[in-house]
Amino acid sequence: MDILICDDEPLAVERLSRMVTQLGHQVVATAQHGIEAIDYVQQYEPDVVLLDIKMPEMDGLICAQHLSALNPMPAVVFCTAYDEHALTAIQSQAKGYLLKPIAKAELQEVLDNLTKLTQAQVSQLEQKENMEKQAQRQQIAAKTYRGIELIPIENIYYFLADQKYVTVRHKNGSVLIDETLKDLEQEFANKFIRIHRNALISLDYLDGLELVASGQYQVRCRELEEKLAVSRRHLPMLRERMQNF
């Protein structure tokens, strides 16, 4: 399997890399913190991420939340010296939890179990669990020329789909993400509403509905000059939600 190692301790990375190679797997990349790991996962698409928990910039638990939104998503195995995070790690749907110093036999057992699942199967299982638990992220991760940008959900005005990408319009501009509007709608159903087959708008920034021509409507978005079209199909639900403001 292709494996990414994320740990801010060089000696730990070196030791893990050696064991992974000895067990017949390939280390495709190493990262020093969570933000770097997200970037490398999107670039190399590893089957497994061996993830430390306490790291600078972004810790492993938050990183795992963002990794769970990727498609395909890698299997996450936490590797840490702190056993008090075990419950949180299990709740994050991690596929394994190894305490440092990690024994080669323990690592082999975890990797052998993961080898039995194909990357596609792991992705499908994780997505199903995410939908069932309806766990909401607090930020959206977007890969830009500056690296990985984290956009707080409360700063997002709307999502606009365009072919295979979705534009995220937020307080500091806009970015593209490789996620589907359907998945975003399911995850943030309490914060965003669909107004068109290609658009979700934040309920926090929805400023009003206006008739423009021949029965066509558009919505105003607080703090923005641009307006978004509302389809007739989604107009009744939008009106109902607005009445409950």
Side-chain angles (χ1 to χ4, degrees):
M1 291 186 295
D2 290 341
I3 295 177
L4 183 146
I5 298 173
C6 182
D7 197 310
D8 62 327
E9 298 179 5
L11 290 179
V13 172
E14 181 181 350
R15 184 171 181 271
L16 261 181
S17 297
R18 185 168 58 252
M19 287 194 294
V20 166
T21 302
Q22 291 172 350
L23 292 172
H25 303 285
Q26 179 181 0
V27 178
V28 294
T30 61
Q32 296 181 340
H33 51 73
I35 294 178
E36 196 171 48
I38 295 171
D39 190 7
Y40 287 162
V41 166
Q42 292 178 313
Q43 182 176 349
Y44 295 102
E45 296 188 355
D47 301 300
V48 180
V49 176
L50 300 179
L51 188 61
D52 190 18
I53 290 183
K54 289 193 174 182
M55 296 180 292
E57 302 293 335
M58 177 190 286
D59 68 34
L61 295 174
I62 295 177
C63 176
Q65 293 178 8
H66 289 290
L67 293 180
S68 70
L70 300 180
N71 186 18
M73 67 180 74
V76 172
V77 176
F78 286 109
C79 304
T80 179
Y82 304 94
D83 59 1
E84 67 266 25
H85 296 295
L87 179 59
T88 305
I90 292 172
Q91 292 173 339
S92 73
Q93 303 163 36
K95 294 300 179 182
Y97 189 91
L98 297 171
L99 282 176
K100 296 178 180 178
I102 297 169
K104 185 177 178 180
E106 294 175 346
L107 178 61
Q108 181 176 9
E109 181 179 358
V110 170
L111 295 182
D112 284 349
N113 288 335
L114 290 176
T115 304
K116 297 174 184 177
L117 293 174
T118 65
Q119 183 176 354
Q121 288 173 320
V122 172
S123 178
Q124 290 171 2
L125 288 173
E126 293 286 0
Q127 289 176 358
K128 181 179 179 180
E129 291 171 359
N130 280 342
M131 291 177 63
E132 290 175 349
K133 293 188 176 182
Q134 296 183 341
Q136 285 190 4
R137 289 168 286 168
Q138 300 303 308
Q139 299 168 311
I140 292 291
K143 186 176 181 181
T144 71
Y145 70 94
R146 290 185 291 267
I148 297 296
E149 290 189 37
L150 300 177
I151 302 126
I153 296 300
E154 63 265 24
N155 288 353
I156 297 175
Y157 298 116
Y158 60 78
F159 297 103
L160 190 65
D162 182 15
Q163 296 182 357
K164 66 174 294 188
Y165 294 103
V166 170
T167 297
V168 181
R169 182 71 167 91
H170 59 94
K171 286 182 177 291
N172 296 316
S174 61
V175 294
L176 293 177
I177 59 174
D178 189 12
E179 297 188 41
T180 69
L181 211 61
K182 180 180 179 181
D183 289 344
L184 292 167
E185 181 181 22
Q186 291 176 340
E187 183 176 359
F188 302 110
N190 63 328
K191 297 180 182 295
F192 290 80
I193 184 171
R194 188 181 287 268
I195 59 172
H196 197 278
R197 62 180 177 82
N198 68 345
L200 302 174
I201 188 170
S202 168
L203 293 169
D204 291 337
Y205 295 103
L206 181 58
D207 193 39
L209 181 67
E210 58 187 40
L211 180 65
V212 287
S214 62
Q216 298 298 311
Y217 284 84
Q218 61 184 16
V219 291
R220 298 187 302 273
C221 194
R222 193 174 297 117
E223 302 181 2
L224 295 179
E225 292 185 1
E226 62 250 43
K227 299 175 183 179
L228 300 176
V230 180
S231 70
R232 294 185 179 182
R233 175 183 176 185
H234 296 97
L235 182 59
M237 180 62 70
L238 176 61
R239 281 176 165 164
E240 181 178 342
R241 293 290 290 272
M242 292 179 67
Q243 289 176 356
N244 296 326
F245 281 5

